[in-house]
Amino acid sequence: ETGVTQSPTHLIKTRGQQVTLRCSSQSGHNTVSWYQQALGQGPQFIFQYYREEENGRGNFPPRFSGLQFPNYSSELNVNALELDDSALYLCASSQTGGWTDTQYFGPGTRLTVL
Amino acid sequence: KQEVTQIPAALSVPEGENLVLNCSFTDSAIYNLQWFRQDPGKGLTSLLLIQSSQREQTSGRLNASLDKSSGRSTLYIAASQPGDSATYLCAVRGSGAGSYQLTFGKGTKLSVIP
């Protein structure tokens, strides 16, 4: 069974640029969530995708957007990067999106905005 | 709005000691609570998931308890080892409108000294 994978591992961008982060969910999982973790903080929920539709969103501006593909992999896109966007971005998948499911996290993408 | 607090923020113990990490949450209307481990700069590893109807879960040297009515959970680690050194995060999944997201604490950074 393949776990959650994310790419790239590290990324450096400059303010104002756009970035795309990728996530492959664990085999058999149809729900993907994205989280932002600033240094020394707990992860903050960005949004969740279930069967290619966004079905929940946290307190993040519209320049944070996403996609889920038919194979349940997912992308997180961030436009007009700001310095405060520097963080570890974590992707998590679960089997059905049900509230009792365990969430399995990937290794994360470390984004640095200069 | 659900808030999760973890105390202490950091803990240093000698190898072999038993220890308890604490997690409290403000809204007792939750589906479940999950404990994670995070190594520096890495993703999250799920340790234990306790459903709201359960009182505790055990896995090896780890035991987590949940008192939903008082908004508290504890993670007990028996016979600590240097390999247990990591940051431990607890997260709750609320019921109602916020049920699609996990709300995290900031974590407890554990150092086990050989």
Side-chain angles (χ1 to χ4, degrees):
Chain A
E1 183 179 89
T2 305
V4 179
T5 60
Q6 292 185 242
S7 63
T9 305
H10 296 90
L11 203 52
I12 299 175
K13 292 284 189 178
T14 56
R15 194 170 48 182
Q17 284 189 310
Q18 179 266 343
V19 69
T20 298
L21 310 181
R22 295 179 174 83
C23 169
S24 291
S25 60
Q26 188 162 318
S27 176
H29 289 189
N30 61 20
T31 303
V32 173
S33 302
W34 286 91
Y35 290 79
Q36 180 196 65
Q37 186 179 23
L39 203 60
Q41 304 294 314
Q44 298 288 319
F45 175 75
I46 303 175
F47 43 57
Q48 175 176 286
Y49 278 82
Y50 172 68
R51 292 186 175 180
E52 302 178 57
E53 296 286 332
E54 182 183 301
N55 70 342
R57 189 177 184 94
N59 190 27
F60 280 80
R63 60 189 186 84
F64 285 79
S65 63
L67 283 173
Q68 188 180 30
F69 300 100
N71 66 356
Y72 302 131
S73 65
S74 177
E75 287 182 354
L76 165 64
N77 299 290
V78 187
N79 294 322
L81 284 167
E82 301 177 359
L83 297 179
D84 285 349
D85 295 333
S86 294
L88 182 67
Y89 287 85
L90 296 162
C91 165
S93 74
S94 61
Q95 193 163 15
T96 66
W99 311 140
T100 58
D101 282 0
T102 298
Q103 297 241 312
Y104 295 93
F105 282 77
T109 293
R110 171 72 63 186
L111 173 64
T112 302
V113 182
L114 302 176
Chain B
K1 179 188 170 187
Q2 178 75 268
E3 292 183 3
V4 179
T5 303
Q6 292 187 245
I7 295 173
L11 182 63
S12 182
V13 300
E15 181 178 2
E17 203 165 280
N18 302 326
L19 57 100
V20 173
L21 307 181
N22 297 293
C23 172
S24 62
F25 46 95
T26 55
D27 186 349
S28 62
I30 65 169
Y31 279 111
N32 53 51
L33 183 146
Q34 198 165 351
W35 282 93
F36 294 91
R37 169 188 171 133
Q38 185 172 33
D39 293 290
K42 304 296 185 183
L44 309 181
T45 300
S46 179
L47 298 174
L48 291 164
L49 172 69
I50 311 177
Q51 304 296 352
S52 62
S53 59
Q54 298 174 323
R55 296 284 294 181
E56 64 180 305
Q57 282 287 338
T58 298
S59 176
R61 294 183 294 108
L62 305 179
N63 175 275
S65 67
L66 174 64
D67 184 342
K68 199 176 74 162
S69 60
S70 67
R72 296 178 187 276
S73 175
T74 60
L75 178 66
Y76 175 83
I77 302 177
S80 58
Q81 302 171 358
D84 295 331
S85 298
T87 296
Y88 291 80
L89 295 153
C90 76
V92 297
R93 184 184 290 279
S95 59
S99 54
Y100 44 75
Q101 66 176 327
L102 295 179
T103 301
F104 284 83
K106 292 183 179 181
T108 294
K109 185 175 182 180
L110 172 65
S111 298
V112 181
I113 304 184

